[in-house]
Amino acid sequence: MRPPLAAALDLAPHPEGGWYRQTWVSPVTVTLPDGRVRPTATLIYFLLPAGDSSAWHRVASDEIWLAHTGAVTVELGGSGAAPADEPTTVEVDAHAPQALVRAGVWQRTLPSAADALVSCLVSPGFDFADFELV
């Protein structure tokens, strides 16, 4: 069932878990070393309802997480072929409202006691072709 905040912000289910909507795409593009063209940056809302978590995944670009409401714990599992057995964690909340996840690093968000709304700024811009689930 779609959470009320997801409905209010017109968010759709995200393949990794949670809810999202792209809110901005830079009109400026960059050509990647392999010849693909991406916007220089993209921005989404990401809602993780209380008790939900996201699946292990990685993105081919840097991500900056920006806290709006609630708190998100992001596990970082390194950049190997699979997530590390002992990941590190980063909190994104009112006390640490920004966090960087480097390109190619496995990540997942862990459940919390309350809904959490964040934005994710991705540079070079996000494309599902650069998204990998475990």
Side-chain angles (χ1 to χ4, degrees):
M1 181 169 178
R2 192 175 186 192
L5 186 54
L9 294 174
D10 194 28
L11 307 181
H14 197 291
E16 77 190 47
W19 300 81
Y20 83 108
R21 177 170 58 90
Q22 189 173 70
T23 58
W24 176 75
V25 177
S26 173
V28 178
T29 60
V30 61
T31 301
L32 303 179
D34 64 8
R36 294 177 298 151
V37 176
R38 296 281 186 266
T40 55
T42 56
L43 183 65
I44 67 166
Y45 279 135
F46 181 71
L47 172 66
L48 194 65
D52 282 359
S53 61
S54 73
W56 279 109
H57 65 284
R58 61 181 167 184
V59 177
S61 298
D62 287 346
E63 287 185 57
I64 298 176
W65 288 60
L66 306 162
H68 297 296
T69 61
V72 173
T73 300
V74 181
E75 275 192 334
L76 304 175
S79 57
D85 291 334
E86 296 183 28
T88 60
T89 60
V90 174
E91 300 293 324
V92 184
D93 58 21
H95 302 289
Q98 295 181 1
L100 173 64
V101 177
R102 292 279 181 198
V105 171
W106 291 105
Q107 61 178 295
R108 71 176 174 179
T109 51
L110 301 177
S112 64
D115 291 357
L117 178 66
V118 300
S119 287
C120 291
L121 177 71
V122 180
S123 180
F126 180 82
D127 188 296
F128 274 105
D130 301 329
F131 175 80
E132 180 182 1
L133 283 168
V134 163

